[in-house]
Amino acid sequence: MGRTQSVRAVKRSWTAVLSASAVTVGLSVAMATPAGAVGGPCGQSGGGSLGSSGSSGSSGSTGTLIGSLGSGSLGSATGSLANSLPWIIGSPDGALPVLTGRTKAIEMVTGPGSPNESIEKYSVSGTDLGIMWDNGQGQVLMAFGDTVGDCDEPGTQWRSNALFRSSDTTLSDGMRIDSSPLAPPPAVNFSKQVIDGLLNLPLGSLEFTVIPTAGVEVDGVQYVRFMSVRSWGAPGEWMTNYSAIARSDDNGDTWDVVVPTVRVNLDPMDPEFPDGIVPPAFSSHNENWQMSAFVPDRGDGFVYEFGTPSGRSGSARLARVPATLDAMEDPTKYEYWTGTDWSSTIADAEPVIKAPVSELSVQWNDYLGKYIAMYTDVGGLKIRQADHPWGPWSGTETLISAITLPSLYGGFMHPWATGQYLYFVLTTWDRYNVIYMRTDLSRVDRMKSAEQVDRPDPAQTGEQKLLRFDMPEDLPETEDSPETEDLPETEDLPETEDLPEEE
């Protein structure tokens, strides 16, 4: 099937499912889900006890639900599809937001219309997050959360996670994907789930999905911190069973969970881990380390790990560990910032970035000469600046206002971003795909750590406006999705800007 035909088929099936009055997804093993719930990239029912109120998903968000679906039978290889995928209100149509101001959307990394042809090459039509890190081998690895493929297939080809690789060094014109770990035949062009959970549970039980939250390379080995999601709660909140580090020695093709790094989040753990898997003892302080952001060694011999609770309402704390394989996999080698010094006791860890912090990404920025912490909160996509990972961290500056794009979440910086432009990815739950973005740092304040005053929201100052959504040129027009989605008239804005060539 050609690219245009494939995109047309995916969009047609997505639209049909979202507008249907009921959906039944058959699997060899499946579970019933409540009636009256609607949502997910393929319009599946779900939400557990939340019913029609919706749930946040793979770190997604919740909005007004449109339409009505009856109950269906849903499941997956590792958990309940109904409880694993975020709720969205529209089909992922590949439309790019056109913004005024210092932050621009460049292209879709995934989904319909993406130049990477993620549907045709990897069976990825909807996904989120896109956590990036340098693999030490001339590539950037990119880990995604809950992923779907063909909505007409049983189970919608759902996976808890997937991984892409890119060696594209010209950041200014987008991000080209080289490869992805693929499932073996008879699957064709199918990005496989790379990290599996530890719990030996019946299908649709308490390990609904396994989501990467941070990645780092140490001595040629790839490490990913992931969270095991137990249940979805109120919008923006979810409960985890545990977090853990997974290790790959083959550039992301295969992963093994490093059991000693498991941070159990429930006491007692019910159900228990399978025989032969004995995680470290439960600590009530583990709840503060269910989601992470890694900062690789910059010469002081340490990898830094920021930790936040599951959900979107917690503070960020900081740990460090020697940048060696043995230390990365040994919890006793981790030290925690107390506010004045380092301690080997996890209970001593004090917040370094105040709540609420969500889907955190931290890295050194040579242009500002500062560390940048990027995350989302109810006001939009924010950054803070600091001279050291432990801070003190400055007040916030809003790169994308929630007024402009109320559906945004999950901003993750490109590890090779240098110079005037900061490149990062972002997800929106109303289209459920990853967007490649950039911000002109020459228009960002160089904030000292002592500057605790938050900068004004650019949507409120008039700097940032959403002009329209532009559809990819080769994406077929349908009745429900015009080629260009016009917004109220305002000043026009060129679709692209000339940028200097990057070395």
Side-chain angles (χ1 to χ4, degrees):
M1 181 182 293
R3 178 166 186 250
T4 300
Q5 292 175 306
S6 176
V7 171
R8 181 184 291 113
V10 170
K11 184 166 182 61
R12 183 172 59 247
S13 65
W14 216 307
T15 302
V17 172
L18 283 169
S19 61
S21 62
V23 60
T24 300
V25 182
L27 294 175
S28 57
V29 183
M31 62 173 288
T33 57
V38 59
C42 290
Q44 66 274 4
S45 301
S49 62
L50 291 174
S52 60
S53 65
S55 79
S56 65
S58 176
S59 303
S61 185
T62 304
T64 303
L65 302 176
I66 296 177
S68 175
L69 293 177
S71 62
S73 59
L74 302 163
S76 76
T78 59
S80 163
L81 181 64
N83 290 277
S84 295
L85 292 174
W87 293 58
I88 67 171
I89 60 172
S91 59
D93 52 17
L96 275 180
V98 179
L99 307 175
T100 62
R102 63 196 169 197
T103 300
K104 300 289 187 288
I106 298 177
E107 68 179 17
M108 301 300 296
V109 178
T110 63
S114 166
N116 290 309
E117 299 183 313
S118 69
I119 299 172
E120 297 81 357
K121 294 180 177 179
Y122 309 117
S123 301
V124 173
S125 59
T127 191
D128 70 347
L129 304 182
I131 295 150
M132 292 180 280
W133 72 97
D134 188 323
N135 73 347
Q137 304 168 35
Q139 289 181 315
V140 168
L141 300 190
M142 184 179 239
F144 300 97
D146 292 307
T147 299
V148 294
D150 188 343
C151 291
D152 287 337
E153 289 291 322
T156 68
Q157 298 183 330
W158 177 77
R159 292 137 276 175
S160 277
N161 48 73
L163 185 140
F164 285 177
R165 306 182 186 99
S166 173
S167 58
D168 188 351
T169 58
T170 304
L171 276 57
S172 60
D173 61 356
M175 185 175 184
R176 294 298 161 266
I177 302 305
D178 300 330
S179 63
S180 174
L182 300 178
V188 178
N189 297 337
F190 188 88
S191 291
K192 66 181 180 180
Q193 177 171 312
V194 290
I195 299 175
D196 297 327
L198 286 174
L199 299 185
N200 187 18
L201 301 172
L203 186 69
S205 212
L206 297 180
E207 188 163 59
F208 289 129
T209 188
V210 176
I211 299 174
T213 65
V216 69
E217 176 269 338
V218 176
D219 291 342
V221 173
Q222 312 304 320
Y223 288 105
V224 162
R225 173 71 70 176
F226 68 91
M227 62 178 173
S228 163
V229 176
R230 181 184 182 92
S231 62
W232 304 117
E237 300 299 329
W238 54 91
M239 172 62 71
T240 49
N241 296 299
Y242 63 89
S243 69
I245 286 178
R247 167 180 174 151
S248 175
D249 295 280
D250 55 11
N251 198 29
D253 274 329
T254 60
W255 296 80
D256 296 308
V257 178
V258 182
V259 175
T261 67
V262 170
R263 291 168 174 163
V264 179
N265 197 31
L266 297 170
D267 184 24
M269 188 69 194
D270 182 23
E272 297 179 352
F273 287 91
D275 292 340
I277 296 180
V278 183
F282 168 82
S283 166
S284 60
H285 300 282
N286 285 344
E287 68 178 357
N288 296 321
W289 302 88
Q290 295 301 295
M291 303 171 68
S292 293
F294 285 125
V295 178
D297 177 20
R298 294 190 58 248
D300 64 357
F302 290 99
V303 169
Y304 293 88
E305 182 180 13
F306 290 80
T308 62
S310 59
R312 291 202 167 91
S313 58
S315 300
R317 291 167 171 80
L318 179 66
R320 71 178 185 183
V321 61
T324 65
L325 301 184
D326 290 343
M328 284 291 298
E329 301 180 12
D330 183 352
T332 68
K333 298 295 194 299
Y334 286 68
E335 296 180 312
Y336 302 88
W337 182 248
T338 68
T340 57
D341 205 350
W342 297 96
S343 168
S344 59
T345 303
I346 191 173
D348 294 336
E350 291 292 334
V352 293
I353 304 177
K354 62 184 180 181
V357 178
S358 174
E359 292 114 6
L360 182 63
S361 172
V362 183
Q363 69 184 40
W364 174 258
N365 183 267
D366 66 335
Y367 185 82
L368 296 177
K370 302 278 187 179
Y371 285 93
I372 291 178
M374 174 181 286
Y375 61 93
T376 51
D377 64 18
V378 293
L381 183 70
K382 309 289 184 68
I383 62 169
R384 293 179 185 263
Q385 301 174 41
D387 294 323
H388 310 283
W390 51 89
W393 288 89
S394 71
T396 64
E397 185 143 11
T398 302
L399 300 188
I400 305 178
S401 172
I403 298 172
T404 308
L405 287 180
S407 59
L408 64 84
Y409 68 99
F412 297 98
M413 291 178 280
H414 195 298
W416 295 349
T418 60
Q420 179 179 345
Y421 296 96
L422 178 64
Y423 294 90
F424 59 95
V425 295
L426 188 76
T427 307
T428 62
W429 52 257
D430 56 349
R431 283 170 170 80
Y432 200 65
N433 269 298
V434 177
I435 309 172
Y436 187 71
M437 313 282 297
R438 76 160 187 271
T439 288
D440 184 350
L441 293 178
S442 69
R443 300 169 69 181
V444 167
D445 285 350
R446 296 174 183 264
M447 298 174 69
K448 297 180 180 179
S449 297
E451 296 183 61
Q452 296 297 310
V453 178
D454 297 338
R455 296 303 190 258
D457 185 312
Q460 295 179 344
T461 64
E463 175 209 337
Q464 187 173 83
K465 298 177 182 178
L466 175 62
L467 299 183
R468 63 184 183 274
F469 286 100
D470 279 353
M471 295 295 295
E473 291 181 0
D474 60 349
L475 191 65
E477 184 174 339
T478 63
E479 292 182 2
D480 67 309
S481 181
E483 183 175 353
T484 300
E485 185 177 337
D486 291 322
L487 297 171
E489 290 188 6
T490 181
E491 58 181 302
D492 199 9
L493 178 73
E495 292 185 17
T496 61
E497 295 178 359
D498 293 330
L499 295 177
E501 289 294 324
E502 299 182 34
E503 297 182 359

